[in-house]
């Protein structure tokens, strides 16, 4: 847990024209993020990575490629987005022999909401049956885990080490930090408000905006850690402009567009998600320019 802090981009999953995983593109992006940007970790198979569309074999392939390219220089987190405890265990076991630092697991979320006792049993079973540390990915609105439930799971289930807190309400993140203290890992996924998240004491971030503009986010983290709030506030404004341009139902595709506009391959989204419209692409281009980033035509 001590190693998992700072800027941990949730990587996009590049697909080719046949919607197959483009492993070469994924490996190139790992090298870029680790060697040129200096990120503090990587997450594979999350929402930004269209993890809900991946088969177990594809998840293992993507995570394995990232682990190989990272070469132990940063921790790699494997995302699991499924709808039963059995499926989550199967996915976890598929990557358990890789050098994975932790699993990032959503609550079961299709239609029927588990009660708190079943939610506890779900995460406890995954940890027990897989044997890897687990971060609760608190993102799905209709099965959103309360602060009380998260505190209970992190303090009572050995192996549940923290939470990726996704919500527009920064108070929920503040409440978690207040109630947990130093007992768990709290990673912010409040993309629009990373600066105040870090000021409040979040241990870092796993959020889509980190993948779109990783360099700016690393600079923001470092500025806050150094107490340079003038620089941090300026970076916050630049990052927020980009977030406002990419946020929406096509978020993974928009993040891929942002990557490509900055001169790197990112592949296509997987159907039924479409590519950004001309208007969306133009807005992303303008936001990247306004943030001072070099972009292609």
């Amino acid at each position: 847990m001590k190693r998992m802090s700072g800027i941990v981009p949730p990587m996009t999953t590049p697909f080719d024209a046949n919607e197959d995983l483009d492993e070469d593109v994924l490996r190139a992006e790992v090298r870029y993020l680790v060697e040129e940007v200096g990120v503090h970790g990587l997450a594979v198979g999350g929402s930004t990575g269209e993890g809900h569309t991946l088969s177990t074999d594809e998840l293992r392939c993507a995570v394995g490629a990232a682990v190989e390219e990272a070469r132990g220089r940063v921790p790699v987190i494997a995302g699991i987005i499924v709808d039963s405890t059995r499926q989550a265990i199967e996915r976890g076991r598929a990557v358990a022999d890789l050098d994975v630092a932790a699993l990032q697991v959503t609550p079961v979320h299709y239609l029927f909401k588990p009660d708190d006792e079943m939610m506890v049993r779900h995460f406890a079973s995954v940890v027990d049956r897989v044997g890897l540390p687990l971060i609760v990915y608190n993102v799905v609105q209709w099965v959103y885990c309360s602060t009380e439930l998260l505190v209970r799971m992190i303090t009572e289930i050995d192996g549940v080490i923290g939470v990726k807190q996704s919500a527009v309400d920064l108070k929920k993140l503040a409440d978690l930090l207040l109630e947990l203290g130093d007992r768990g890992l709290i990673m912010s996924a409040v993309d629009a408000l990373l600066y105040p998240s870090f000021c409040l004491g979040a241990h870092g971030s796993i959020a889509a905006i980190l993948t779109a503009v990783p360099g700016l986010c690393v600079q923001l983290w470092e500025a806050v850690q150094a107490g340079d709030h003038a620089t941090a506030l300026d970076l916050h404004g630049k990052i927020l402009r980009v977030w406002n341009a990419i946020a929406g139902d096509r978020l993974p595709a928009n993040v891929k567009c942002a990557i490509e506009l900055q001169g790197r391959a990112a592949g296509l989204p997987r159907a039924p998600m479409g590519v950004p419209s001309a208007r969306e692409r133009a807005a992303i281009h303008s936001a990247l320019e306004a943030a001072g980033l070099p972009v292609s035509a």
Side-chain angles (χ1 to χ4, degrees), residues 227-267:
D228 183 357
H229 291 281
T231 296
L233 185 58
D234 178 65
L235 288 163
H236 161 75
K238 294 177 179 178
I239 292 167
L240 182 57
R241 287 185 184 278
V242 178
W243 173 247
N244 290 341
I246 66 173
D249 290 336
R250 275 199 280 246
L251 178 60
N254 289 345
V255 172
K256 288 179 177 179
C257 177
I259 292 171
E260 290 179 344
L261 285 170
Q262 293 172 82
R264 306 189 312 280

Side-chain angles (χ1 to χ4, degrees), residues 115-174:
D115 61 26
D116 283 2
E117 293 305 317
M118 292 308 297
M119 197 80 79
V120 170
R121 187 178 300 180
H122 171 68
F123 288 107
S125 296
V126 175
V127 170
D128 180 61
R129 300 285 296 278
V130 177
L132 288 173
L134 186 150
I135 298 169
V136 178
Y137 183 10
N138 197 27
V139 64
V140 184
Q141 295 178 6
W142 54 94
V143 288
Y144 204 75
C145 298
S146 67
T147 298
E148 294 76 17
L149 178 57
L150 290 167
V151 169
R152 177 185 172 190
M153 290 194 292
I154 292 168
T155 55
E156 293 183 6
I157 304 174
D158 187 25
V160 175
I161 61 171
V163 58
K164 172 183 171 179
Q165 183 72 350
S166 306
V168 296
D169 183 358
L170 195 63
K171 184 178 182 298
K172 295 183 185 297
L173 178 72

Side-chain angles (χ1 to χ4, degrees), residues 12 33 47 58 60 68 113 124 148 174 234 269 271 284:
T12 55
L33 291 169
S47 301
E58 288 173 328
R60 176 179 171 81
E68 285 184 9
K113 179 180 179 179
E148 294 76 17
D234 178 65
I284 296 167

Side-chain angles (χ1 to χ4, degrees), residues 23-195:
E23 188 176 320
D24 290 341
V25 172
L26 187 147
R27 286 176 178 272
E29 187 68 3
V30 171
R31 292 193 297 271
Y32 170 78
L33 291 169
V34 174
E35 296 170 7
E36 297 189 39
V37 179
V39 300
H40 307 109
L42 298 168
V44 179
S47 301
T48 307
E50 299 170 79
H52 58 291
T53 75
L54 299 177
S55 69
T56 299
D57 287 344
E58 288 173 328
L59 178 66
R60 176 179 171 81
C61 182
V63 172
V67 166
E68 285 184 9
E69 291 296 334
R71 302 202 311 272
R73 292 172 290 180
V74 298
V76 176
I77 298 168
I80 296 178
I81 306 174
V82 292
D83 274 312
S84 73
T85 305
R86 184 186 182 93
Q87 288 175 306
I89 292 168
E90 186 239 356
R91 292 284 175 99
R93 284 178 167 174
V95 300
D97 63 317
L98 305 174
D99 187 16
V100 172
L103 304 175
Q104 175 187 280
V105 184
T106 61
V108 172
H109 52 276
Y110 173 71
L111 192 58
F112 307 109
K113 179 180 179 179
D115 61 26
D116 283 2
E117 293 305 317
M118 292 308 297
M119 197 80 79
V120 170
R121 187 178 300 180
H122 171 68
F123 288 107
S125 296
V126 175
V127 170
D128 180 61
R129 300 285 296 278
V130 177
L132 288 173
L134 186 150
I135 298 169
V136 178
Y137 183 10
N138 197 27
V139 64
V140 184
Q141 295 178 6
W142 54 94
V143 288
Y144 204 75
C145 298
S146 67
T147 298
E148 294 76 17
L149 178 57
L150 290 167
V151 169
R152 177 185 172 190
M153 290 194 292
I154 292 168
T155 55
E156 293 183 6
I157 304 174
D158 187 25
V160 175
I161 61 171
V163 58
K164 172 183 171 179
Q165 183 72 350
S166 306
V168 296
D169 183 358
L170 195 63
K171 184 178 182 298
K172 295 183 185 297
L173 178 72
D175 285 341
L176 265 177
L177 290 162
L178 179 67
E179 297 301 324
L180 274 171
D182 61 356
R183 293 179 293 171
L185 180 74
I186 311 298
M187 301 294 279
S188 174
V190 189
D191 298 69
L193 298 170
L194 294 184
Y195 172 40

